[in-house]
Amino acid sequence: MSERQRADHQRGAVMSGRLYGVGVGPGDPELITLKAARIIGAAGVVAYHQGVGKSSNARRIAAGLLPGGVVEEALVYPVTTQATDHPDGYAGAMADFYTECADRLRRHLTAGRDVVVLSEGDPMLYGSFMYLHDRLSEEFETHVVAGVPAFAAATATTALPLVRQTDVLTVVPGTLPEPELARRLADTDGAVIMKLGRTFAKVRSALEQAGRIEGSWYVERASMDAERVLPVADVDPATVPYFSIVLVPGDTRPGVARYDRPEREPVRAAPGAEVVVVGLGPGPDEWLSPEASHVLAEVGHVVGYGPYVQRVPQRPGLVRHASGNSVEVDRAREALDLALAGERVAVVSGGDAGIFGMASAVFEAAEDPRYAGVAVRVVPGISAVQAVAARAGAPIGADFAVLSLSDRLKPWEVVEKRLRSVAEADLVLALYNPRSRSRTAQLARAKAVLLEQKPPGTIVVVGRDIGRTGESLSVTTLGELDAESIDMRCLVLVGASATRVTGSGQVWSPRFVR
């Protein structure tokens, strides 16, 4: 409801009723909050959702609180599976249904009657009330009353810590595609999987792929009389109802250290302790070397920047440690700590890990004496400069230099000095990290520096997302280079004076100098 509508309502200018979305908890009526009980007990209209030919579970929970003479609105779902003959499919059928429900409740609200919509668990967590809220909250004063979610009741039933300390909890629907579900389960500490029923077999398979089935628990009808609790591995998929949940405690994630464990003596590296730094190449699976594939198939932990970690297929027993950009040394320390504890670890990097990648960061972190017993091995990958050059032809067939335009780890004065040196030496130049959202001026400044010594007609190649979907390659000149069109997904190759373009548009640099 807008601020103006709210003010008008308070002044009595608008006499419409109020809409309440009330969470009634997971099943046990004693878990209804005092606030929810008070509002339900004073309701003039109570609405609830239910399946065709079924009774409403939300109404059953709140039945003892309904006042005499209350008007009841049963909102019956048209379908409960994806099967429908609606021209717009399941989504279209449900959109029409929620619009019809909103119209029914709007008539009560317009007439000045308060409407309480009962919601199992919490109204705003996978609840049908949200779709009524979308359609009505701008017209009528709306209140949401929180309810105990089903996973909280399930956690209480198992009496197992779900997440602790800095653990990340992920709540996912079992309706996700199996590979995506496995990825998310492997990448989080604790997890709650909802919307089971016919999805359970897929969910169990995803847990196995993520290496998380051991220690995971299945809770059916949490807090209800028919409550059932089993290890996930012992559940018959044919017996699983919709009102069931899987809990994956954070304590089940391999390699997780807990603050409350006793202090130990400094860890000495186990014999053969090693961190392998792996270059994944620019993108395509066929550009991953057999050596890199072998390492990734053998390690128990993969550490890296999130998008690179996601390129490593999930499998049973693999723990993936994804982190954000610009924390390379912290990431390296995490890998070294895992190796120190006896784990087999790979640090992944895009392109070649030794070219502006994670290899240098790992060696930097490994200078700490506590990692003296951990070996570092680097597995090469196809670099971005190689990939762009191959697509273009052979622009780096002669002497060339590689330079990052990022001034995050070095002052811009150093960048300019190196640009001038490369230009004076007449080398082909590959520019990494040319331009980002926070570094918008560097490429234009680099272009100006190069034009001090290079003619405007110098050949330039720009490769974007080479090897990936939507890749593009363009050939231009230094004078015509549009810096505004470049981003971090690009690599820029600036030719030498001898670099030339064939009649078919391929770019190459002669091996000889005349």
Side-chain angles (χ1 to χ4, degrees):
M1 191 177 192
S2 70
E3 288 301 319
R4 180 176 179 180
Q5 288 171 320
R6 196 180 305 278
D8 287 344
H9 189 283
Q10 291 173 348
R11 288 196 300 267
V14 177
M15 301 303 295
S16 57
R18 291 165 292 190
L19 176 66
Y20 292 88
V22 178
V24 297
D28 183 351
E30 291 188 338
L31 292 178
I32 297 177
T33 67
L34 294 174
K35 183 174 183 178
R38 174 176 57 80
I39 291 172
I40 294 169
V45 179
V46 168
Y48 42 81
H49 292 83
Q50 63 186 45
V52 177
K54 298 180 180 179
S55 59
S56 167
N57 195 50
R59 188 196 184 284
R60 178 196 63 78
I61 297 169
L65 298 171
L66 299 182
V70 67
V71 176
E72 298 190 33
E73 290 282 0
L75 310 175
V76 182
Y77 295 113
V79 290
T80 53
T81 67
Q82 299 289 327
T84 177
D85 57 2
H86 192 283
D88 294 324
Y90 176 79
M94 294 305 293
D96 286 351
F97 165 66
Y98 287 122
T99 298
E100 177 192 347
C101 292
D103 289 341
R104 289 171 60 184
L105 301 187
R106 184 180 286 108
R107 287 193 286 271
H108 290 293
L109 293 164
T110 302
R113 292 186 287 270
D114 291 349
V115 176
V116 174
V117 180
L118 304 178
S119 298
E120 300 156 32
D122 182 86
M124 307 305 271
L125 182 64
Y126 296 120
S128 293
F129 172 74
M130 293 185 292
Y131 305 103
L132 301 177
H133 184 276
D134 293 342
R135 290 163 170 79
L136 297 171
S137 61
E138 286 300 310
E139 299 178 52
F140 305 100
E141 182 178 348
T142 302
H143 302 271
V144 178
V145 180
V148 176
F151 71 80
T155 303
T157 294
T158 59
L160 289 172
L162 187 56
V163 283
R164 64 173 89 199
Q165 298 161 5
T166 57
D167 284 349
V168 173
L169 174 65
T170 300
V171 180
V172 293
T175 50
L176 284 178
E178 189 173 320
E180 178 66 7
L181 190 56
R183 181 186 72 79
R184 290 178 181 269
L185 292 171
D187 290 348
T188 191
D189 299 303
V192 172
I193 311 173
M194 304 180 72
K195 297 182 181 292
L196 297 181
R198 67 189 66 203
T199 69
F200 183 79
K202 176 183 68 176
V203 168
R204 186 164 70 181
S205 175
L207 283 164
E208 289 173 344
Q209 293 174 49
R212 303 298 298 275
I213 196 166
E214 186 70 29
S216 295
W217 286 85
Y218 166 87
V219 183
E220 179 182 312
R221 295 185 172 89
S223 83
M224 304 183 202
D225 292 339
E227 180 180 82
R228 191 164 68 115
V229 181
L230 289 169
V232 169
D234 296 344
V235 178
D236 177 1
T239 67
V240 176
Y242 182 80
F243 291 110
S244 53
I245 281 176
V246 165
L247 302 177
V248 187
D251 289 350
T252 65
R253 188 175 187 190
V256 175
R258 298 297 173 199
Y259 301 151
D260 52 358
R261 290 178 181 167
E263 291 293 330
R264 299 177 180 175
E265 292 296 320
V267 178
R268 293 185 179 181
E274 179 184 56
V275 168
V276 187
V277 191
V278 178
L280 299 176
D285 291 342
E286 59 265 30
W287 288 359
L288 186 69
S289 74
E291 182 184 11
S293 296
H294 176 75
V295 169
L296 296 176
E298 294 293 324
V299 297
H301 298 261
V302 170
V303 178
Y305 176 42
Y308 300 143
V309 170
Q310 290 176 18
R311 287 171 53 187
V312 181
Q314 185 56 53
R315 56 174 169 77
L318 178 66
V319 180
R320 304 191 304 180
H321 305 260
S323 53
N325 206 357
S326 304
V327 291
E328 292 90 348
V329 176
D330 290 341
R331 190 182 298 143
R333 292 192 187 101
E334 180 181 14
L336 290 162
D337 285 336
L338 287 166
L340 202 60
E343 302 289 345
R344 304 179 70 181
V345 189
V347 175
V348 293
S349 197
D352 180 87
I355 301 178
F356 304 122
M358 279 299 299
S360 182
V362 172
F363 278 105
E364 179 182 341
E367 287 188 327
D368 188 323
R370 68 189 298 260
Y371 301 125
V374 180
V376 177
R377 176 161 62 99
V378 181
V379 175
I382 294 176
S383 67
V385 63
Q386 290 174 290
V388 173
R391 284 286 195 263
I396 57 174
D399 296 338
F400 70 98
V402 178
L403 179 65
S404 170
L405 287 188
S406 173
D407 53 359
R408 187 171 64 87
L409 298 176
K410 59 182 181 288
W412 180 253
E413 292 75 16
V414 171
V415 176
E416 284 200 11
K417 179 180 179 181
R418 292 174 180 176
L419 285 168
R420 288 190 173 89
S421 296
V422 171
E424 183 180 354
D426 193 23
L427 301 175
V428 176
L429 174 62
L431 295 175
Y432 276 68
N433 306 313
R435 189 171 183 271
S436 69
R437 285 176 294 182
S438 61
R439 295 182 299 100
T440 58
Q442 280 82 345
L443 181 58
R445 291 162 67 184
K447 173 182 171 179
V449 170
L450 292 172
L451 283 171
E452 292 173 6
Q453 299 187 57
K454 286 180 171 289
T458 301
I459 302 299
V460 172
V461 175
V462 178
R464 172 183 275 107
D465 288 335
I466 296 301
R468 284 168 275 183
T469 303
E471 72 168 46
S472 66
L473 187 85
S474 61
V475 179
T476 184
T477 64
L478 186 59
E480 294 295 323
L481 177 64
D482 179 13
E484 295 295 319
S485 68
I486 308 299
D487 56 32
M488 284 291 285
R489 293 151 52 202
C490 298
L491 183 134
V492 179
L493 283 173
V494 182
S497 59
T499 302
R500 58 196 70 176
V501 183
T502 69
S504 61
Q506 292 180 294
V507 180
W508 69 287
S509 297
R511 295 173 297 161
F512 50 83
V513 176
R514 289 175 178 164

